[in-house]
């Protein structure tokens, strides 16, 4: 946080900038400087503006140079996987940091550049480390400048789905899952045709008991966020994942991104409440973990949600059956929520 203070920025950046300008594009000493720029811009945001375009342009040059070398090596019969991708990977990472630091202003950098055409080429690369950083950048663009990729979803999403499941590199799959969630929120119409396949792969991940916790957690959040704009589709497949979804979300610490996932899933549940009736206890564990003090926004949301759920399930006596088997303390908490 101290980095955001102008006097510290004025001390740190000039020597880095001098070094950056003195080194040729092939000097591997640039990696440390690029990583420093990435860390700085994440903290200081638009205070990095005066350096942004030169850094952005040079990063594009690193990416383009690597793309050309990979293509020419394939044409020459050389194994393209042997090409050094470190300049491209580091440059993609810096661009993600710039998107994070500049937020919607990142759009101004992308305008009149060849970033998106380059990114479309990079996404075809078979290297999973490249996939990890390029998927992350796609998600950042979807979040900060979605119109830049609006007309390219047909080229982007299939490449992400190829590396989503089966899992080869966990970090690549996590970034793909996160990026798809961001696209679903900012470009829901463009993504719609791909959502059935995406959801199918996410459900396969949910049904696998041998995967890393971070991967499962990201999958849980993304399915919930998909339900915001594709509620009926998510609701149609609740039986296949809802128990684990509730268990995982019930053990997760609240934050803004996860709240959106919870709200999305609650909407899907109300579409088919009978599916969750046998899992009411797990649903309530999640709600009581996430519920704030009375008057809190989520408290009001959960109260309304449970009231609607009660009304729907009571029509077929499922509410009575489900609540009768709840432990007494949970029944008391439920009564308090409904007051």
């Amino acid at each position: 946080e101290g980095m955001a203070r102008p006097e510290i920025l004025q001390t740190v950046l000039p020597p880095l900038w001098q070094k950056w300008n003195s080194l040729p594009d092939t000097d591997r000493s640039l990696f440390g400087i690029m990583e420093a720029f990435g860390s700085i811009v994440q903290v200081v945001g638009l205070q990095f503006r005066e350096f942004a375009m030169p850094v952005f342009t040079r990063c594009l040059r690193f990416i383009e140079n690597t793309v050309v070398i990979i293509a020419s090596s394939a044409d020459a019969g050389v194994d393209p996987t042997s090409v050094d991708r470190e300049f491209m990977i580091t440059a993609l990472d810096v661009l993600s940091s710039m998107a994070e630091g500049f937020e919607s202003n990142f759009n101004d950098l992308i305008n009149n550049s060849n970033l998106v055409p380059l990114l479309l080429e990079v996404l075809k690369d078979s290297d999973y480390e490249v996939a990890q950083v390029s998927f992350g950048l796609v998600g950042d663009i979807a979040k900060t400048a979605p119109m830049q990729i609006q007309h390219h979803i047909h080229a982007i999403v299939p490449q992400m789905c190829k590396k989503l499941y089966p899992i080869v590199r966990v970090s690549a799959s996590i970034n793909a899952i996160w990026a798809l969630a961001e696209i679903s929120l900012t470009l829901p119409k463009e993504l719609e045709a791909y959502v059935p396949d995406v959801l199918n792969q996410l459900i396969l991940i949910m049904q696998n008991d041998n995967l890393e916790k971070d991967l499962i957690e990201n999958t849980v959040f993304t399915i919930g966020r998909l339900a915001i704009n594709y509620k009926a589709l998510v609701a149609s497949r609740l039986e296949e994942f809802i128990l684990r979804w509730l268990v995982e979300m019930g053990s997760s610490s609240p934050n803004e991104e996860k709240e959106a996932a919870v709200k999305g899933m609650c909407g899907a549940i109300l579409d088919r409440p009978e599916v969750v009736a046998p899992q009411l206890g797990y649903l309530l564990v999640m709600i009581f973990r996430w519920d704030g003090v009375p008057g809190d926004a989520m408290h009001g949301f959960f109260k309304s949600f449970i009231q609607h759920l009660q009304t729907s399930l009571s029509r077929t006596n499922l509410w009575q059956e489900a609540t009768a088997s709840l432990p007494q303390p949970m029944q008391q908490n439920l009564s308090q929520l409904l007051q």
Side-chain angles (χ1 to χ4, degrees):
E1 291 182 4
M3 184 69 72
R5 290 163 54 192
E7 64 272 20
I8 295 179
L9 200 61
Q10 289 162 12
T11 302
V12 171
L13 267 175
L16 281 174
W17 191 244
Q18 184 179 1
K19 188 75 171 174
W20 164 262
N21 287 316
S22 70
L23 296 173
D25 284 358
T26 53
D27 195 313
R28 301 179 76 83
S29 301
L30 287 165
F31 294 144
I33 300 173
M34 293 164 74
E35 289 166 4
F37 283 160
S39 298
I40 290 168
V41 73
Q42 283 179 314
V43 174
V44 305
L46 290 175
Q47 292 183 59
F48 193 76
R49 189 190 288 111
E50 104 179 65
F51 308 97
M53 186 54 77
V55 172
F56 180 84
T57 303
R58 196 173 188 184
C59 283
L60 291 186
R61 191 162 71 241
F62 291 141
I63 296 167
E64 186 168 15
N65 289 345
T66 307
V67 167
V68 169
I69 293 169
I70 290 170
S72 60
S73 68
D75 292 342
V78 178
D79 182 5
T81 62
S82 65
V83 174
D84 183 358
R85 287 160 166 77
E86 194 165 356
F87 273 103
M88 178 166 73
I89 289 167
T90 308
L92 289 165
D93 223 12
V94 172
L95 296 181
S96 277
S97 296
M98 293 181 78
E100 186 176 334
F102 276 38
E103 298 180 337
S104 61
N105 294 282
F106 189 58
N107 186 69
D108 297 335
L109 290 174
I110 303 177
N111 278 335
N112 304 314
S113 80
N114 64 339
L115 171 59
V116 173
L118 277 177
L119 187 55
L120 296 179
E121 289 302 311
V122 171
L123 287 167
K124 299 173 187 175
D125 199 306
S126 61
D127 185 275
Y128 274 81
E129 190 174 357
V130 171
Q132 175 190 335
V133 292
S134 59
F135 294 165
L137 181 55
V138 167
D140 287 319
I141 294 172
K143 191 173 183 178
T144 60
M147 294 304 104
Q148 297 286 352
I149 58 171
Q150 180 180 14
H151 302 300
H152 303 286
I153 295 301
H154 66 283
I156 292 171
V157 174
Q159 295 297 334
M160 298 171 80
C161 286
K162 286 179 185 176
K163 295 185 175 73
L164 188 57
Y165 190 85
I167 308 300
V168 175
R169 187 184 181 100
V170 170
S171 54
S173 293
I174 286 175
N175 280 4
I177 290 166
W178 172 77
L180 287 163
E182 294 298 333
I183 294 170
S184 78
L185 297 177
T186 56
L187 298 168
K189 183 179 177 182
E190 289 77 7
L191 185 65
E192 187 171 11
Y194 303 96
V195 176
D197 183 42
V198 169
L199 181 59
N200 190 59
Q201 293 194 55
L202 295 177
I203 290 172
L204 289 173
I205 292 172
M206 291 290 290
Q207 293 173 340
N208 190 327
D209 294 327
N210 300 310
L211 297 174
E212 285 80 353
K213 182 174 177 58
D214 285 351
L215 179 62
I216 296 298
E217 193 173 73
N218 275 273
T219 302
V220 165
F221 304 151
T222 293
I223 292 176
R225 295 171 85 191
L226 286 177
I228 295 170
N229 286 315
Y230 315 104
K231 179 175 67 172
L233 177 63
V234 174
S236 72
R237 301 195 63 179
L238 282 176
E239 296 96 334
E240 299 173 68
F241 65 84
I242 192 60
L243 175 57
R244 187 169 192 191
W245 194 95
L246 293 170
V247 170
E248 295 291 341
M249 190 60 86
S251 65
S252 176
S253 299
N255 67 29
E256 186 176 340
E257 191 173 277
K258 298 171 191 176
E259 283 184 10
V262 168
K263 289 180 177 179
M265 188 57 67
C266 286
I269 287 170
L270 289 179
D271 260 21
R272 297 183 66 215
E274 71 283 356
V275 176
V276 83
Q279 323 299 345
L280 182 61
Y282 291 102
L283 175 63
L284 292 173
V285 167
M286 181 198 76
I287 288 174
F288 297 147
R289 176 168 175 77
W290 280 69
D291 191 19
V293 296
D296 180 83
M298 285 302 281
H299 177 86
F301 171 81
F302 284 132
K303 180 175 181 177
S304 175
F305 166 69
I306 288 295
Q307 286 172 337
H308 282 91
L309 187 66
Q310 180 184 27
T311 300
S312 297
L313 293 177
S314 294
R315 296 187 186 115
T316 53
N317 292 319
L318 286 175
W319 179 260
Q320 294 82 346
E321 292 175 15
T323 54
S325 60
L326 296 176
Q328 191 63 34
M330 187 174 285
Q331 291 189 25
Q332 292 172 350
N333 288 338
L334 178 58
S335 297
Q336 289 173 4
L337 178 62
L338 289 169
Q339 287 176 2

